[in-house]
Coordinates of all heavy atoms in Angstrom, one line a residue:
F1 N 12.3 0.7 -25.2 CA 11.9 2.0 -24.7 C 11.7 1.9 -23.2 O 11.1 0.9 -22.7 CB 10.6 2.4 -25.4 CG 10.0 3.7 -24.9 CD1 10.8 4.9 -24.9 CD2 8.7 3.8 -24.5 CE1 10.3 6.1 -24.5 CE2 8.2 5.1 -24.1 CZ 9.0 6.2 -24.1
E2 N 12.2 2.9 -22.4 CA 12.1 2.8 -20.9 C 11.3 4.0 -20.4 O 11.4 5.1 -20.8 CB 13.6 3.0 -20.4 CG 13.6 3.1 -18.9 CD 15.0 3.5 -18.4 OE1 15.3 4.7 -18.3 OE2 15.8 2.5 -18.1
V3 N 10.4 3.6 -19.5 CA 9.6 4.6 -18.8 C 9.7 4.3 -17.3 O 9.5 3.2 -16.8 CB 8.1 4.6 -19.2 CG1 7.3 5.6 -18.3 CG2 7.9 5.0 -20.6
K4 N 10.2 5.3 -16.5 CA 10.2 5.3 -15.1 C 9.3 6.3 -14.5 O 9.2 7.4 -15.1 CB 11.6 5.5 -14.5 CG 12.6 4.4 -14.9 CD 13.9 4.7 -14.3 CE 14.9 3.5 -14.6 NZ 16.3 3.8 -13.9
M5 N 8.5 6.0 -13.4 CA 7.6 7.0 -12.9 C 7.6 7.0 -11.4 O 7.6 5.9 -10.8 CB 6.2 6.7 -13.4 CG 5.2 7.7 -13.0 SD 3.6 7.5 -13.8 CE 2.8 9.0 -13.2
L6 N 7.6 8.2 -10.8 CA 7.5 8.4 -9.4 C 6.2 9.1 -9.0 O 5.8 10.1 -9.7 CB 8.6 9.3 -8.9 CG 10.0 8.7 -8.8 CD1 11.1 9.8 -8.6 CD2 10.1 7.7 -7.7
V7 N 5.5 8.5 -8.1 CA 4.2 9.1 -7.6 C 4.2 9.0 -6.0 O 5.0 8.3 -5.4 CB 3.0 8.4 -8.1 CG1 2.9 8.6 -9.7 CG2 2.9 7.0 -7.7
D8 N 3.3 9.8 -5.5 CA 3.1 9.8 -4.0 C 2.5 8.5 -3.6 O 1.5 8.0 -4.2 CB 2.2 10.9 -3.6 CG 2.3 11.3 -2.1 OD1 2.4 10.3 -1.3 OD2 2.3 12.5 -1.8
A9 N 3.0 7.8 -2.5 CA 2.4 6.6 -2.0 C 0.9 6.8 -1.6 O 0.1 5.9 -1.6 CB 3.1 6.1 -0.7
E10 N 0.5 8.1 -1.3 CA -0.9 8.4 -1.0 C -1.8 8.0 -2.2 O -2.9 7.6 -2.0 CB -1.1 9.9 -0.6 CG -2.5 10.2 -0.3 CD -2.7 11.7 0.0 OE1 -1.7 12.5 -0.1 OE2 -3.8 12.1 0.2
L11 N -1.3 8.1 -3.4 CA -2.1 7.7 -4.5 C -2.5 6.2 -4.5 O -3.6 5.8 -4.8 CB -1.3 7.9 -5.8 CG -1.9 7.5 -7.2 CD1 -3.2 8.2 -7.4 CD2 -0.9 7.7 -8.3
F12 N -1.6 5.4 -4.0 CA -1.9 4.0 -3.8 C -2.9 3.8 -2.7 O -3.9 3.1 -2.9 CB -0.6 3.2 -3.5 CG -0.9 1.7 -3.3 CD1 -1.0 0.9 -4.4 CD2 -1.0 1.2 -2.0 CE1 -1.2 -0.5 -4.2 CE2 -1.2 -0.1 -1.8 CZ -1.4 -1.0 -2.9
W13 N -2.7 4.4 -1.6 CA -3.5 4.1 -0.4 C -4.9 4.7 -0.6 O -5.9 4.3 0.0 CB -2.9 4.7 0.9 CG -1.7 4.0 1.2 CD1 -0.4 4.5 1.3 CD2 -1.5 2.6 1.5 NE1 0.5 3.6 1.6 CE2 -0.1 2.4 1.8 CE3 -2.4 1.5 1.5 CZ2 0.4 1.1 2.1 CZ3 -1.8 0.3 1.8 CH2 -0.5 0.1 2.1
S14 N -5.1 5.8 -1.4 CA -6.4 6.3 -1.7 C -7.3 5.4 -2.4 O -8.5 5.4 -2.4 CB -6.3 7.6 -2.5 OG -5.9 7.4 -3.8
A15 N -6.7 4.4 -3.1 CA -7.4 3.4 -3.9 C -7.6 2.1 -3.1 O -8.1 1.1 -3.6 CB -6.7 3.1 -5.2
Y16 N -7.0 2.1 -1.9 CA -6.9 0.8 -1.2 C -7.8 0.7 0.0 O -7.7 1.4 0.9 CB -5.4 0.7 -0.7 CG -5.1 -0.7 -0.3 CD1 -4.8 -1.7 -1.2 CD2 -5.0 -1.0 1.1 CE1 -4.5 -3.0 -0.8 CE2 -4.7 -2.3 1.5 CZ -4.4 -3.3 0.5 OH -4.1 -4.5 1.0
Q17 N -8.7 -0.2 -0.2 CA -9.6 -0.6 1.0 C -10.3 -1.9 0.6 O -10.3 -2.3 -0.5 CB -10.6 0.5 1.3 CG -11.5 0.9 0.1 CD -12.2 2.2 0.5 OE1 -12.0 2.8 1.4 NE2 -13.2 2.5 -0.4
D18 N -10.7 -2.5 1.7 CA -11.3 -3.9 1.5 C -12.7 -3.7 0.9 O -13.4 -2.7 1.0 CB -11.4 -4.6 2.8 CG -10.0 -5.0 3.3 OD1 -9.2 -5.4 2.5 OD2 -9.8 -4.8 4.5
P19 N -13.2 -4.8 0.2 CA -14.4 -4.7 -0.6 C -15.6 -4.3 0.3 O -15.7 -4.7 1.5 CB -14.6 -6.1 -1.1 CG -13.3 -6.6 -1.1 CD -12.5 -6.1 0.0
I20 N -16.6 -3.6 -0.3 CA -17.8 -3.2 0.4 C -18.6 -4.5 0.8 O -19.3 -4.5 1.8 CB -18.7 -2.3 -0.5 CG1 -18.0 -1.0 -0.7 CG2 -20.1 -2.1 0.2 CD1 -18.7 -0.1 -1.7
G21 N -18.3 -5.6 0.1 CA -19.0 -6.8 0.3 C -18.8 -7.4 1.7 O -19.5 -8.3 2.2
Q22 N -17.8 -6.9 2.5 CA -17.7 -7.3 3.9 C -18.9 -7.0 4.7 O -19.0 -7.5 5.8 CB -16.4 -6.7 4.5 CG -15.1 -7.3 4.0 CD -14.0 -6.9 4.9 OE1 -14.1 -5.9 5.7 NE2 -12.9 -7.7 4.8
G23 N -19.7 -6.1 4.3 CA -20.9 -5.7 5.0 C -20.8 -4.7 6.0 O -21.7 -4.5 6.9
L24 N -19.7 -3.9 6.0 CA -19.5 -2.9 7.0 C -20.2 -1.6 6.6 O -20.1 -1.2 5.4 CB -18.0 -2.7 7.3 CG -17.3 -3.9 7.8 CD1 -15.8 -3.4 8.1 CD2 -17.9 -4.5 9.0
A25 N -20.9 -1.0 7.5 CA -21.7 0.2 7.1 C -20.8 1.4 7.0 O -19.9 1.6 7.7 CB -22.7 0.5 8.2
W26 N -21.1 2.2 6.0 CA -20.5 3.5 5.8 C -21.2 4.6 6.6 O -20.5 5.4 7.2 CB -20.5 3.9 4.3 CG -19.5 3.3 3.4 CD1 -19.5 2.0 3.1 CD2 -18.5 3.9 2.7 NE1 -18.5 1.8 2.2 CE2 -17.8 3.0 2.0 CE3 -18.1 5.3 2.6 CZ2 -16.8 3.2 1.1 CZ3 -17.0 5.5 1.8 CH2 -16.4 4.6 1.0
K27 N -22.5 4.6 6.5 CA -23.2 5.7 7.2 C -24.3 5.1 8.1 O -25.0 4.2 7.6 CB -23.9 6.6 6.1 CG -22.9 7.3 5.2 CD -23.6 8.1 4.1 CE -22.7 8.6 3.1 NZ -23.4 9.3 2.0
V28 N -24.4 5.6 9.3 CA -25.5 5.2 10.2 C -26.1 6.4 10.9 O -25.3 7.2 11.5 CB -24.9 4.2 11.3 CG1 -26.0 3.8 12.2 CG2 -24.2 3.0 10.6
D29 N -27.4 6.6 10.7 CA -28.1 7.7 11.3 C -27.4 9.0 11.1 O -27.2 9.8 12.1 CB -28.3 7.4 12.8 CG -29.2 6.2 13.1 OD1 -29.9 5.9 12.2 OD2 -29.2 5.7 14.2
G30 N -27.0 9.3 9.9 CA -26.4 10.6 9.6 C -25.0 10.8 9.9 O -24.4 11.9 9.8
K31 N -24.3 9.7 10.4 CA -22.9 9.7 10.7 C -22.1 8.8 9.8 O -22.6 7.8 9.3 CB -22.6 9.4 12.2 CG -23.1 10.5 13.1 CD -22.6 10.2 14.6 CE -23.0 11.4 15.5 NZ -22.5 11.2 16.9
V32 N -20.8 9.1 9.6 CA -20.0 8.4 8.6 C -19.0 7.6 9.4 O -18.4 8.0 10.4 CB -19.2 9.4 7.7 CG1 -18.3 8.7 6.8 CG2 -20.2 10.2 6.9
Y33 N -18.8 6.4 8.9 CA -17.8 5.5 9.6 C -16.7 4.9 8.7 O -15.6 4.8 9.0 CB -18.5 4.3 10.3 CG -19.4 4.9 11.5 CD1 -20.7 5.1 11.2 CD2 -18.8 5.1 12.7 CE1 -21.5 5.6 12.3 CE2 -19.6 5.7 13.7 CZ -21.0 5.9 13.5 OH -21.7 6.5 14.5
G34 N -17.1 4.6 7.5 CA -16.1 4.2 6.5 C -15.8 2.7 6.5 O -16.1 2.0 7.5

């Protein structure tokens, strides 16, 4: 049985970031950095 699938590369990048464990802040004094 064969399944082929096409999706937007954005789907991959939306799930892709380095672990929170790196210690970088998301929010500081009401501002967002990511």
